[in-house]
Amino acid sequence: MKSFTLAIESSCDDTSVALVRADAYVKFQMQVSQDKRHAVFGGVVPEIASRAHTEALIPLIDQLLVTSQTSWEQIEFISVTNRPGLVGSLLSGVVAANTLGQVFNRPVVGVNHLEGHIAAPLLWDDKQDQPDSQPEYPWLVLAVSGGHTSLYLVTAPFEYQMLGTTRDDAAGEVFDKFSKMLGWGFPGGAILDQRAQKGLADPLLFQINQLPHFAYSFSGIKSAAERLIRSQSWSEEQLNNIAASYQEAIVASLLSQVKKASEQFEFKHFMVTGGVSANSSLRKQAQIWAQSVGKRVWMPPLRYCTDNAGMIGLVGWWHYLREISVSKTIVKASPHSYPEDFKIWS
Ligand code: KG4
Ligand code: ZN
């Protein structure tokens, strides 16, 4: 019986493939991380990323099918991230999906990567129980990653309203830059999180002013941290304290716009998702705040926070079942979201 979509995610620097059922169950997911290849440059190098995806994808899909003992007979269609992202990286996934679609005569569904992150908190698998109920709309969703920081109100299936986004850097990007400045490694978010847990935050060290509407800005704190770090030499303990203060200021800024939105819009469930939702402080504080306003917070387990094919498979199903963006022939890659993907609140 055909019960799975074969999902492919290659929009940035993680090659991920998964088998996902329509009820959000991830049967199997496999990834190849490119972190080591980019670490020497301190950031993602697009050309290296697309070459690495091209090398990794087909062997990884083979391995996924063999390891999970799944045959093409069980695959109904293919889901692939086709926007937004690094165009060479996207193309590697899209070309693989289109080719497999042609060879095995399966439809191909192009998925918006950000819609994938929004869906990620709903995923479940053999290690994570199925949610006891489906979250009723509207959802207030904070999606924070290395490339994006946005707040959405999801009022119904496929009805996404972007309330606000960052004017400059994404939160994950400024975590990464801090780590890079100190030579702590790449990607920096998880490393900074570890160091911050050993430090004590000074709430007066960094402050981020709340912007009008629901906009974010993180370039100021990045420059302030750079000036501070270069101003003198610091002990490891002091650096841990600076990391903790930096992290707390970013988390406070992320949640301050969430709180403002919660006073203006009706919502039933709160979701935090994207690579930065792996951050220990953000997870804790999101939970505390949600509890204080009597809402349930949905956050993916760590393996579905950062880029993963599981989330792409789930959104693939949503569109497949609704029969839109299903192509019997080819899906195109686009570095940007389509104008119809998200309505902009104003
Ligand atoms: O969602 P993702 O894998 O890729 C994009 O779509 O951008 O997010 C990657 C980002 C990186 O900037 C990484 O440093 C950050 O997520 N990240 C974290 C943590 N784990 C990953 N940031 C803060 N704390 C963490 N624990
Ligand atoms: Zn992402």
mmCIF file of all heavy atoms in Angstrom, residues 99-131:
data_model
loop_
_atom_site.group_PDB
_atom_site.id
_atom_site.type_symbol
_atom_site.label_atom_id
_atom_site.label_comp_id
_atom_site.label_asym_id
_atom_site.label_seq_id
_atom_site.Cartn_x
_atom_site.Cartn_y
_atom_site.Cartn_z
ATOM 1 N N THR A 99 13.658 13.892 -11.224
ATOM 2 C CA THR A 99 14.165 12.712 -11.934
ATOM 3 C C THR A 99 13.515 11.444 -11.369
ATOM 4 O O THR A 99 13.020 10.602 -12.134
ATOM 5 C CB THR A 99 15.704 12.633 -11.784
ATOM 6 O OG1 THR A 99 16.247 13.895 -12.150
ATOM 7 C CG2 THR A 99 16.299 11.548 -12.658
ATOM 8 N N LEU A 100 13.485 11.329 -10.040
ATOM 9 C CA LEU A 100 12.861 10.137 -9.436
ATOM 10 C C LEU A 100 11.377 10.086 -9.791
ATOM 11 O O LEU A 100 10.813 9.009 -10.032
ATOM 12 C CB LEU A 100 13.053 10.152 -7.913
ATOM 13 C CG LEU A 100 14.497 9.960 -7.437
ATOM 14 C CD1 LEU A 100 14.622 10.248 -5.937
ATOM 15 C CD2 LEU A 100 14.983 8.533 -7.735
ATOM 16 N N GLY A 101 10.740 11.262 -9.835
ATOM 17 C CA GLY A 101 9.324 11.330 -10.199
ATOM 18 C C GLY A 101 9.087 10.778 -11.597
ATOM 19 O O GLY A 101 8.129 10.029 -11.834
ATOM 20 N N GLN A 102 9.973 11.143 -12.514
ATOM 21 C CA GLN A 102 9.849 10.669 -13.904
ATOM 22 C C GLN A 102 10.115 9.161 -13.988
ATOM 23 O O GLN A 102 9.370 8.423 -14.613
ATOM 24 C CB GLN A 102 10.884 11.377 -14.791
ATOM 25 C CG GLN A 102 10.666 12.872 -14.917
ATOM 26 C CD GLN A 102 9.641 13.220 -15.983
ATOM 27 O OE1 GLN A 102 9.685 12.671 -17.064
ATOM 28 N NE2 GLN A 102 8.721 14.102 -15.662
ATOM 29 N N VAL A 103 11.196 8.745 -13.316
ATOM 30 C CA VAL A 103 11.607 7.331 -13.416
ATOM 31 C C VAL A 103 10.556 6.409 -12.788
ATOM 32 O O VAL A 103 10.196 5.383 -13.357
ATOM 33 C CB VAL A 103 12.993 7.128 -12.746
ATOM 34 C CG1 VAL A 103 13.337 5.651 -12.626
ATOM 35 C CG2 VAL A 103 14.075 7.866 -13.520
ATOM 36 N N PHE A 104 10.056 6.786 -11.612
ATOM 37 C CA PHE A 104 9.119 5.900 -10.903
ATOM 38 C C PHE A 104 7.657 6.308 -11.104
ATOM 39 O O PHE A 104 6.766 5.757 -10.457
ATOM 40 C CB PHE A 104 9.461 5.854 -9.408
ATOM 41 C CG PHE A 104 10.786 5.175 -9.154
ATOM 42 C CD1 PHE A 104 11.943 5.916 -8.945
ATOM 43 C CD2 PHE A 104 10.879 3.788 -9.144
ATOM 44 C CE1 PHE A 104 13.169 5.294 -8.725
ATOM 45 C CE2 PHE A 104 12.097 3.157 -8.931
ATOM 46 C CZ PHE A 104 13.245 3.914 -8.725
ATOM 47 N N ASN A 105 7.446 7.300 -11.956
ATOM 48 C CA ASN A 105 6.094 7.751 -12.262
ATOM 49 C C ASN A 105 5.315 8.161 -11.003
ATOM 50 O O ASN A 105 4.230 7.639 -10.726
ATOM 51 C CB ASN A 105 5.351 6.663 -13.045
ATOM 52 C CG ASN A 105 4.085 7.192 -13.677
ATOM 53 O OD1 ASN A 105 3.972 8.386 -13.930
ATOM 54 N ND2 ASN A 105 3.115 6.316 -13.892
ATOM 55 N N ARG A 106 5.911 9.070 -10.249
ATOM 56 C CA ARG A 106 5.267 9.586 -9.037
ATOM 57 C C ARG A 106 5.142 11.107 -9.149
ATOM 58 O O ARG A 106 6.069 11.766 -9.642
ATOM 59 C CB ARG A 106 6.098 9.287 -7.784
ATOM 60 C CG ARG A 106 6.264 7.812 -7.462
ATOM 61 C CD ARG A 106 4.949 7.207 -6.996
ATOM 62 N NE ARG A 106 5.134 5.861 -6.502
ATOM 63 C CZ ARG A 106 5.243 4.753 -7.238
ATOM 64 N NH1 ARG A 106 5.204 4.838 -8.552
ATOM 65 N NH2 ARG A 106 5.394 3.570 -6.673
ATOM 66 N N PRO A 107 4.031 11.685 -8.653
ATOM 67 C CA PRO A 107 3.920 13.148 -8.645
ATOM 68 C C PRO A 107 4.974 13.776 -7.728
ATOM 69 O O PRO A 107 5.451 13.121 -6.786
ATOM 70 C CB PRO A 107 2.522 13.403 -8.071
ATOM 71 C CG PRO A 107 1.825 12.105 -8.072
ATOM 72 C CD PRO A 107 2.851 11.029 -8.077
ATOM 73 N N VAL A 108 5.305 15.016 -8.012
ATOM 74 C CA VAL A 108 6.281 15.747 -7.185
ATOM 75 C C VAL A 108 5.601 17.007 -6.638
ATOM 76 O O VAL A 108 4.929 17.717 -7.378
ATOM 77 C CB VAL A 108 7.521 16.146 -8.011
ATOM 78 C CG1 VAL A 108 8.546 16.866 -7.133
ATOM 79 C CG2 VAL A 108 8.160 14.921 -8.661
ATOM 80 N N VAL A 109 5.758 17.240 -5.348
ATOM 81 C CA VAL A 109 5.162 18.417 -4.705
ATOM 82 C C VAL A 109 6.277 19.341 -4.239
ATOM 83 O O VAL A 109 7.150 18.920 -3.482
ATOM 84 C CB VAL A 109 4.315 17.997 -3.475
ATOM 85 C CG1 VAL A 109 3.663 19.212 -2.827
ATOM 86 C CG2 VAL A 109 3.275 16.973 -3.854
ATOM 87 N N GLY A 110 6.251 20.599 -4.671
ATOM 88 C CA GLY A 110 7.235 21.587 -4.217
ATOM 89 C C GLY A 110 6.751 22.227 -2.927
ATOM 90 O O GLY A 110 5.602 22.650 -2.827
ATOM 91 N N VAL A 111 7.609 22.268 -1.914
ATOM 92 C CA VAL A 111 7.210 22.740 -0.578
ATOM 93 C C VAL A 111 8.016 23.974 -0.183
ATOM 94 O O VAL A 111 9.225 24.029 -0.403
ATOM 95 C CB VAL A 111 7.420 21.604 0.465
ATOM 96 C CG1 VAL A 111 7.192 22.110 1.880
ATOM 97 C CG2 VAL A 111 6.504 20.422 0.157
ATOM 98 N N ASN A 112 7.343 24.944 0.433
ATOM 99 C CA ASN A 112 8.015 26.118 0.996
ATOM 100 C C ASN A 112 8.686 25.702 2.314
ATOM 101 O O ASN A 112 8.032 25.173 3.214
ATOM 102 C CB ASN A 112 6.982 27.232 1.233
ATOM 103 C CG ASN A 112 7.632 28.509 1.724
ATOM 104 O OD1 ASN A 112 8.366 28.522 2.708
ATOM 105 N ND2 ASN A 112 7.354 29.605 1.041
ATOM 106 N N HIS A 113 9.972 25.963 2.407
ATOM 107 C CA HIS A 113 10.763 25.565 3.572
ATOM 108 C C HIS A 113 10.195 26.139 4.886
ATOM 109 O O HIS A 113 10.176 25.461 5.925
ATOM 110 C CB HIS A 113 12.193 26.060 3.355
ATOM 111 C CG HIS A 113 13.135 25.762 4.455
ATOM 112 N ND1 HIS A 113 13.735 24.539 4.608
ATOM 113 C CD2 HIS A 113 13.599 26.532 5.471
ATOM 114 C CE1 HIS A 113 14.524 24.573 5.667
ATOM 115 N NE2 HIS A 113 14.465 25.760 6.217
ATOM 116 N N LEU A 114 9.704 27.375 4.824
ATOM 117 C CA LEU A 114 9.199 28.015 6.047
ATOM 118 C C LEU A 114 7.872 27.408 6.480
ATOM 119 O O LEU A 114 7.593 27.267 7.671
ATOM 120 C CB LEU A 114 9.058 29.519 5.827
ATOM 121 C CG LEU A 114 10.395 30.171 5.506
ATOM 122 C CD1 LEU A 114 10.210 31.581 4.999
ATOM 123 C CD2 LEU A 114 11.281 30.155 6.738
ATOM 124 N N GLU A 115 7.077 27.003 5.511
ATOM 125 C CA GLU A 115 5.834 26.299 5.852
ATOM 126 C C GLU A 115 6.205 24.978 6.534
ATOM 127 O O GLU A 115 5.529 24.526 7.463
ATOM 128 C CB GLU A 115 4.997 26.062 4.585
ATOM 129 C CG GLU A 115 3.572 25.647 4.895
ATOM 130 C CD GLU A 115 2.708 25.452 3.652
ATOM 131 O OE1 GLU A 115 3.201 25.671 2.521
ATOM 132 O OE2 GLU A 115 1.538 25.068 3.818
ATOM 133 N N GLY A 116 7.331 24.407 6.078
ATOM 134 C CA GLY A 116 7.845 23.196 6.718
ATOM 135 C C GLY A 116 8.157 23.454 8.186
ATOM 136 O O GLY A 116 7.709 22.698 9.067
ATOM 137 N N HIS A 117 8.896 24.521 8.478
ATOM 138 C CA HIS A 117 9.218 24.815 9.887
ATOM 139 C C HIS A 117 7.939 25.010 10.713
ATOM 140 O O HIS A 117 7.863 24.579 11.865
ATOM 141 C CB HIS A 117 10.107 26.056 9.998
ATOM 142 C CG HIS A 117 11.575 25.763 9.792
ATOM 143 N ND1 HIS A 117 12.257 24.833 10.553
ATOM 144 C CD2 HIS A 117 12.476 26.270 8.918
ATOM 145 C CE1 HIS A 117 13.528 24.796 10.152
ATOM 146 N NE2 HIS A 117 13.682 25.642 9.160
ATOM 147 N N ILE A 118 6.941 25.669 10.109
ATOM 148 C CA ILE A 118 5.682 25.903 10.843
ATOM 149 C C ILE A 118 5.012 24.564 11.187
ATOM 150 O O ILE A 118 4.400 24.409 12.241
ATOM 151 C CB ILE A 118 4.741 26.833 10.022
ATOM 152 C CG1 ILE A 118 5.359 28.240 9.912
ATOM 153 C CG2 ILE A 118 3.341 26.886 10.626
ATOM 154 C CD1 ILE A 118 4.635 29.198 8.968
ATOM 155 N N ALA A 119 5.163 23.586 10.298
ATOM 156 C CA ALA A 119 4.528 22.274 10.513
ATOM 157 C C ALA A 119 5.309 21.372 11.467
ATOM 158 O O ALA A 119 4.752 20.425 12.040
ATOM 159 C CB ALA A 119 4.369 21.557 9.168
ATOM 160 N N ALA A 120 6.602 21.656 11.642
ATOM 161 C CA ALA A 120 7.488 20.730 12.375
ATOM 162 C C ALA A 120 7.016 20.338 13.786
ATOM 163 O O ALA A 120 7.201 19.187 14.195
ATOM 164 C CB ALA A 120 8.910 21.307 12.433
ATOM 165 N N PRO A 121 6.392 21.255 14.546
ATOM 166 C CA PRO A 121 5.971 20.841 15.893
ATOM 167 C C PRO A 121 4.921 19.726 15.899
ATOM 168 O O PRO A 121 4.666 19.120 16.948
ATOM 169 C CB PRO A 121 5.391 22.135 16.500
ATOM 170 C CG PRO A 121 6.004 23.245 15.719
ATOM 171 C CD PRO A 121 6.187 22.700 14.326
ATOM 172 N N LEU A 122 4.298 19.447 14.753
ATOM 173 C CA LEU A 122 3.249 18.414 14.716
ATOM 174 C C LEU A 122 3.799 17.015 14.448
ATOM 175 O O LEU A 122 3.072 16.027 14.546
ATOM 176 C CB LEU A 122 2.226 18.750 13.620
ATOM 177 C CG LEU A 122 1.597 20.147 13.704
ATOM 178 C CD1 LEU A 122 0.679 20.390 12.516
ATOM 179 C CD2 LEU A 122 0.807 20.286 14.992
ATOM 180 N N LEU A 123 5.090 16.930 14.081
ATOM 181 C CA LEU A 123 5.660 15.628 13.702
ATOM 182 C C LEU A 123 5.771 14.695 14.901
ATOM 183 O O LEU A 123 5.989 15.132 16.029
ATOM 184 C CB LEU A 123 7.059 15.829 13.106
ATOM 185 C CG LEU A 123 7.142 16.597 11.782
ATOM 186 C CD1 LEU A 123 8.593 16.881 11.428
ATOM 187 C CD2 LEU A 123 6.446 15.824 10.660
ATOM 188 N N TRP A 124 5.642 13.421 14.644
ATOM 189 C CA TRP A 124 5.874 12.418 15.685
ATOM 190 C C TRP A 124 6.536 11.208 15.056
ATOM 191 O O TRP A 124 6.591 11.073 13.830
ATOM 192 C CB TRP A 124 4.577 12.067 16.413
ATOM 193 C CG TRP A 124 3.476 11.506 15.562
ATOM 194 C CD1 TRP A 124 2.699 12.197 14.671
ATOM 195 C CD2 TRP A 124 3.038 10.150 15.502
ATOM 196 N NE1 TRP A 124 1.798 11.361 14.066
ATOM 197 C CE2 TRP A 124 1.982 10.099 14.559
ATOM 198 C CE3 TRP A 124 3.407 8.973 16.152
ATOM 199 C CZ2 TRP A 124 1.306 8.911 14.250
ATOM 200 C CZ3 TRP A 124 2.734 7.793 15.848
ATOM 201 C CH2 TRP A 124 1.704 7.773 14.902
ATOM 202 N N ASP A 125 7.089 10.346 15.898
ATOM 203 C CA ASP A 125 7.801 9.171 15.382
ATOM 204 C C ASP A 125 7.890 8.112 16.477
ATOM 205 O O ASP A 125 7.177 8.210 17.487
ATOM 206 C CB ASP A 125 9.187 9.577 14.844
ATOM 207 C CG ASP A 125 10.043 10.299 15.882
ATOM 208 O OD1 ASP A 125 9.831 10.064 17.093
ATOM 209 O OD2 ASP A 125 10.922 11.091 15.496
ATOM 210 N N ASP A 126 8.769 7.135 16.294
ATOM 211 C CA ASP A 126 8.833 6.052 17.283
ATOM 212 C C ASP A 126 9.353 6.534 18.645
ATOM 213 O O ASP A 126 9.153 5.877 19.657
ATOM 214 C CB ASP A 126 9.711 4.911 16.767
ATOM 215 C CG ASP A 126 9.016 4.198 15.610
ATOM 216 O OD1 ASP A 126 7.779 4.340 15.482
ATOM 217 O OD2 ASP A 126 9.708 3.524 14.819
ATOM 218 N N LYS A 127 10.047 7.686 18.647
ATOM 219 C CA LYS A 127 10.581 8.203 19.927
ATOM 220 C C LYS A 127 9.716 9.299 20.509
ATOM 221 O O LYS A 127 9.900 9.708 21.649
ATOM 222 C CB LYS A 127 11.987 8.777 19.696
ATOM 223 C CG LYS A 127 13.019 7.738 19.339
ATOM 224 C CD LYS A 127 14.402 8.374 19.341
ATOM 225 C CE LYS A 127 15.320 7.643 18.392
ATOM 226 N NZ LYS A 127 15.899 8.470 17.361
ATOM 227 N N GLN A 128 8.816 9.826 19.718
ATOM 228 C CA GLN A 128 8.006 10.970 20.147
ATOM 229 C C GLN A 128 6.541 10.612 19.944
ATOM 230 O O GLN A 128 6.130 10.311 18.825
ATOM 231 C CB GLN A 128 8.386 12.181 19.267
ATOM 232 C CG GLN A 128 7.474 13.373 19.330
ATOM 233 C CD GLN A 128 7.830 14.285 20.494
ATOM 234 O OE1 GLN A 128 8.941 14.231 21.029
ATOM 235 N NE2 GLN A 128 6.889 15.098 20.911
ATOM 236 N N ASP A 129 5.760 10.626 21.026
ATOM 237 C CA ASP A 129 4.355 10.222 20.917
ATOM 238 C C ASP A 129 3.569 11.107 19.965
ATOM 239 O O ASP A 129 3.859 12.287 19.823
ATOM 240 C CB ASP A 129 3.688 10.312 22.295
ATOM 241 C CG ASP A 129 4.196 9.209 23.207
ATOM 242 O OD1 ASP A 129 4.804 8.250 22.685
ATOM 243 O OD2 ASP A 129 4.017 9.328 24.429
ATOM 244 N N GLN A 130 2.538 10.502 19.387
ATOM 245 C CA GLN A 130 1.626 11.281 18.560
ATOM 246 C C GLN A 130 0.890 12.274 19.460
ATOM 247 O O GLN A 130 0.461 11.903 20.564
ATOM 248 C CB GLN A 130 0.606 10.343 17.907
ATOM 249 C CG GLN A 130 -0.343 11.047 16.978
ATOM 250 C CD GLN A 130 -1.262 10.075 16.228
ATOM 251 O OE1 GLN A 130 -1.466 8.942 16.660
ATOM 252 N NE2 GLN A 130 -1.803 10.521 15.129
ATOM 253 N N PRO A 131 0.738 13.547 19.029
ATOM 254 C CA PRO A 131 0.000 14.499 19.866
ATOM 255 C C PRO A 131 -1.401 13.966 20.169
ATOM 256 O O PRO A 131 -2.015 13.322 19.308
ATOM 257 C CB PRO A 131 -0.080 15.760 18.997
ATOM 258 C CG PRO A 131 0.977 15.613 17.965
ATOM 259 C CD PRO A 131 1.213 14.147 17.780
#
